[in-house]
Amino acid sequence: MTIHPKIAEVTERIRERSRDSRTLYLRRLDAAKKAGVRRAGLACGNLAHGFAACGVDDKASLKGDVVPNIGIITAYNDMLSAHQPYETYPEIIRQAAREAGGVAQVAGGVPAMCDGVTQGQTGMELSLFSRDAIAMAAAIGLSHNMFDAAMFLGICDKIVPGLMIAALSFGHIPTVFVPAGPMTTGLPNGEKARIRQLYAEGKVGRAELLEAESASYHGPGTCTFYGTANTNQMMMEIMGLHLPGSSFVNPNTPLREALTKAAAKRALAITALGNEFTPIGEIVDEKVIVNGVVGLNATGGSTNHTMHMVAIAKAAGIQLTWDDFSDISDAVPLLARVYPNGLADVNHFHAAGGMSFLIRELLEAGYLHEDVKTVWGHGLAAYTSEPKLSEGGAVVWTEGARESLDEKVLAPVTKAFQPSGGLKLLHGNLGRAVIKISAVKPDRHVIEAPAKVFDTQDGLLAAFKAGELTGDFIAVIRFQGPKANGMPELHKLTPTLGILQDRGQRVALLTDGRMSGASGKVPAAIHVTPEAVAGGPIARIHNGDILRLDAVTGELDVLVDPAEFAARRPATPDLAENEHGMGRELFAMFRAHAEAAELGAGVF
């Protein structure tokens, strides 16, 4: 398979840019591999603590280095619909490990907050930084040096990126990520969005809104729209860290349980005690990072990954930039239409051919690197297969779909929905930003209009209710970056701006905050860097300034006299209210030390 020239070019420049940092990472990984898991070498008191609560057989197995031990890191809690199914996974994994001649222990739990619960609430200001807190919590779990392999149970927004950062910091340990799958289809996402807009206009009440939301989010599993959680699952599979075809199998089904058992047995097979030793730090190289970005663009995935993938790559010694995202997006066609890029949900995507069809199409067209390591073995071609249950209840893999079963949802490369992935880098005298245009109509890709400036999303909503948002405008929502308030998502803006656009107004959003994979039809320049609180030009925009957002040429400019604009005093709001309450005081060090969005918006 010949790789596409642009994909090859971007991969090579990432490799060159990362040469020193990747070499250092691999040198440290080799040292950790040589040291090995020192379970039998632990002092007797240490080891006794490590297996004190185990059963007799497991305890006997753990007394030496002969039997492999899996460390389970779980993000289980029963408030998150996506994570509730993980409640039973540890016992499933322990039993599967015993059947395969190994042992498994829960090494630790990590926090897992639900952005759906905290949207528009104070707690959302902890959301982005929870990624780094998750990485640290997972590292604590693995620090006991008791484990030959790791299994990570996590699925949602910041959770998988945090687990990935932790896994790569323990890059010498073979690691398998284990999904739980999406909830079954409920109220269609398009209908849910319609009810939200009607509520924002005052045409339906809270009772009707809650009924619609409850019919949409109705059971165990991830939300069915294609936001960050489901983008995570796609990326873990296309990067070779899930078992083939396992990402979008619904929870609490026989196939889902069989896949979890198979994942445990595979984790044991790739330890240093076997013949297929495959540390995660060797899997995740420049080619695998590029494969993840290709998948992100080919499916119209979450813009949150323009930060998360940078942070994940950095954890492996790889330097990924927004320019890489943009250039890959320009080359890779959009093959999926899943809400908000279309009306279908992820269950429809899976039924239409899912990951096996998507990966086959991208491989055959040269958009993916096939010659990579995966948890399943060497080569990404194995991920063009899909799992089935045998008569005995075990998983068998068969050839995946060669043709899409619904080309309105999942298209072949020859019938791509658009020639590019839809993620664009914007840059100009307002700094750098990203925009997702896969769900934005072409006649909205360029907006030139006066600025309406707000320091909070509630300020814009109040102006809407007061009837002040008339005519064409670009809404500027600033002081929403990592250093200001933790960079909460601004989903409360989506219905309101959608209403104004539907009325015929030409509107757009410019913010140093986040919108994520659920952002839709309104053009939104997000993650503006530098952020306002760090002295970014966005802090000098005045009401009425003409702004130009051009997603075709990649321009992001304020059209005023450059000297006059540079001489303006930046706005400096009082952020004291962001510093306490709902745990925010505990995250002060994160806000103080957070890097820019373009560098991953983290503290590592």
Side-chain angles (χ1 to χ4, degrees):
M1 300 177 185
T2 304
I3 197 73
H4 187 282
K6 178 57 70 173
I7 303 303
E9 175 192 326
V10 173
T11 305
E12 184 55 31
R13 81 181 184 210
I14 293 172
R15 183 181 290 113
E16 285 297 318
R17 183 191 307 135
S18 309
R19 187 176 300 280
D20 292 344
S21 52
R22 179 65 175 171
T23 298
L24 177 60
Y25 175 82
L26 292 175
R27 186 181 304 136
R28 291 171 174 168
L29 186 151
D30 284 340
K33 281 165 51 180
K34 289 174 183 175
V37 177
R38 301 291 295 171
R39 189 167 55 250
L42 292 174
C44 293
N46 300 140
L47 188 57
H49 277 291
F51 58 54
C54 291
V56 174
D57 291 341
D58 286 352
K59 191 176 293 187
S61 297
L62 291 176
K63 286 183 177 179
D65 274 341
V66 177
V67 174
N69 185 22
I70 298 172
I72 303 167
I73 300 292
T74 178
Y76 162 73
N77 68 55
D78 60 14
M79 187 203 68
L80 275 72
S81 61
H83 289 72
Q84 186 274 339
Y86 285 133
E87 181 175 15
T88 61
Y89 278 36
E91 185 52 37
I92 293 171
I93 292 168
R94 280 191 286 264
Q95 186 56 43
R98 292 184 189 115
E99 291 173 3
V103 180
Q105 296 177 288
V106 172
V110 301
M113 67 181 294
C114 180
D115 287 4
V117 174
T118 57
Q119 289 291 354
Q121 307 299 317
T122 303
M124 174 53 80
E125 295 183 17
L126 277 58
S127 174
L128 178 60
F129 293 145
S130 75
R131 181 193 72 194
D132 293 9
I134 287 163
M136 291 187 285
I140 291 168
L142 293 177
S143 67
H144 298 98
N145 205 16
M146 288 278 294
F147 310 109
D148 302 278
M151 294 180 70
F152 285 88
L153 313 184
I155 202 164
C156 281
D157 296 11
K158 264 55 74 191
I159 300 157
V160 166
L163 294 176
M164 274 291 291
I165 292 168
L168 290 165
S169 72
F170 285 79
H172 61 290
I173 299 178
T175 299
V176 178
F177 279 72
V178 185
M183 69 177 68
T184 55
T185 300
L187 184 74
N189 286 296
E191 178 63 10
K192 175 191 67 180
R194 187 183 72 84
I195 298 297
R196 284 180 176 178
Q197 284 206 184
L198 289 175
Y199 177 76
E201 293 179 279
K203 294 179 179 178
V204 300
R206 181 178 172 84
E208 291 88 348
L209 177 64
L210 183 57
E211 186 65 27
E213 299 286 356
S214 299
S216 180
Y217 308 118
H218 63 90
T222 59
C223 310
T224 59
F225 66 86
Y226 196 52
T228 311
N230 286 316
T231 304
N232 284 339
Q233 303 318 296
M234 177 282 300
M235 294 183 76
M236 291 299 95
E237 185 158 341
I238 209 166
M239 292 169 71
L241 299 171
H242 279 173
L243 266 57
S246 63
S247 295
F248 298 116
V249 176
N250 298 125
N252 303 321
T253 60
L255 180 56
R256 179 81 277 161
E257 182 171 331
L259 282 165
T260 301
K261 292 178 179 177
K265 293 176 179 179
R266 187 60 191 166
L268 292 173
I270 59 176
T271 70
L273 298 177
N275 297 320
E276 300 180 73
F277 183 38
T278 313
I280 187 172
E282 293 181 0
I283 290 177
V284 181
D285 62 7
E286 295 87 350
K287 291 181 179 179
V288 165
I289 290 293
V290 167
N291 282 354
V293 178
V294 168
L296 177 70
N297 282 286
T299 57
S302 170
T303 54
N304 274 326
H305 278 290
T306 61
M307 293 181 293
H308 295 328
M309 281 296 287
V310 171
I312 289 167
K314 186 187 300 183
I318 297 167
Q319 299 176 33
L320 181 68
T321 72
W322 280 359
D323 296 275
D324 302 326
F325 280 93
S326 189
D327 288 351
I328 290 172
S329 179
D330 287 344
V332 174
L334 180 68
L335 302 185
R337 284 285 189 201
V338 185
Y339 188 85
N341 295 335
L343 297 179
D345 67 17
V346 293
N347 292 309
H348 298 136
F349 166 82
H350 185 63
M355 292 300 300
S356 62
F357 177 81
L358 175 76
I359 290 172
R360 184 190 305 278
E361 283 292 307
L362 292 171
L363 277 173
E364 291 182 351
Y367 293 113
L368 290 173
H369 294 284
E370 199 283 329
D371 56 332
V372 294
K373 291 182 179 180
T374 76
V375 298
W376 201 237
H378 192 85
L380 194 59
Y383 284 74
T384 63
S385 61
E386 61 183 29
K388 306 286 185 183
L389 278 179
S390 68
E391 290 185 6
V395 184
V396 294
W397 275 264
T398 61
E399 183 180 26
R402 285 193 163 271
E403 295 183 1
S404 171
L405 300 180
D406 188 345
E407 293 186 359
K408 294 179 181 178
V409 176
L410 184 57
V413 168
T414 55
K415 298 180 181 179
F417 296 112
Q418 62 187 47
S420 66
L423 274 178
K424 296 282 291 186
L425 171 65
L426 302 176
H427 54 87
N429 61 19
L430 289 175
R432 286 160 67 88
V434 294
I435 185 171
K436 177 180 173 182
I437 57 172
S438 51
V440 178
K441 291 183 178 179
D443 66 348
R444 302 277 173 168
H445 288 184
V446 180
I447 303 289
E448 186 174 308
K452 290 186 182 289
V453 183
F454 305 92
D455 291 344
T456 67
Q457 60 181 331
D458 288 335
L460 182 143
L461 298 177
F464 173 74
K465 291 177 181 178
E468 298 170 359
L469 300 184
T470 57
D472 299 343
F473 67 92
I474 294 180
V476 178
I477 315 291
R478 59 194 181 187
F479 301 104
Q480 304 299 309
K483 288 184 176 295
N485 63 353
M487 208 179 191
E489 289 182 335
L490 306 175
H491 279 310
K492 288 169 70 173
L493 302 175
T494 303
T496 300
L497 293 174
I499 289 166
L500 298 173
Q501 181 169 280
D502 289 349
R503 290 176 180 173
Q505 294 173 241
R506 294 185 64 78
V507 297
L509 174 67
L510 174 70
T511 181
D512 50 9
R514 293 187 294 135
M515 287 289 282
S516 99
S519 55
K521 63 187 181 181
V522 176
I526 59 178
H527 308 175
V528 171
T529 303
E531 64 175 290
V533 80
I538 189 175
R540 298 200 300 273
I541 298 174
H542 291 172
N543 280 311
D545 285 348
I546 301 301
L547 308 180
R548 181 174 178 83
L549 187 166
D550 189 332
V552 178
T553 63
E555 296 173 79
L556 182 65
D557 291 304
V558 55
L559 305 182
V560 299
D561 178 70
E564 187 270 329
F565 185 72
R568 291 179 183 177
R569 183 188 300 271
T572 54
D574 181 3
L575 297 173
E577 288 301 312
N578 299 118
E579 296 175 358
H580 59 86
M582 208 59 67
R584 288 180 291 181
E585 49 269 78
L586 303 178
F587 283 75
M589 70 169 185
F590 287 83
R591 292 190 297 274
H593 297 286
E595 292 186 307
E598 186 168 8
L599 299 177
V603 296
F604 300 138

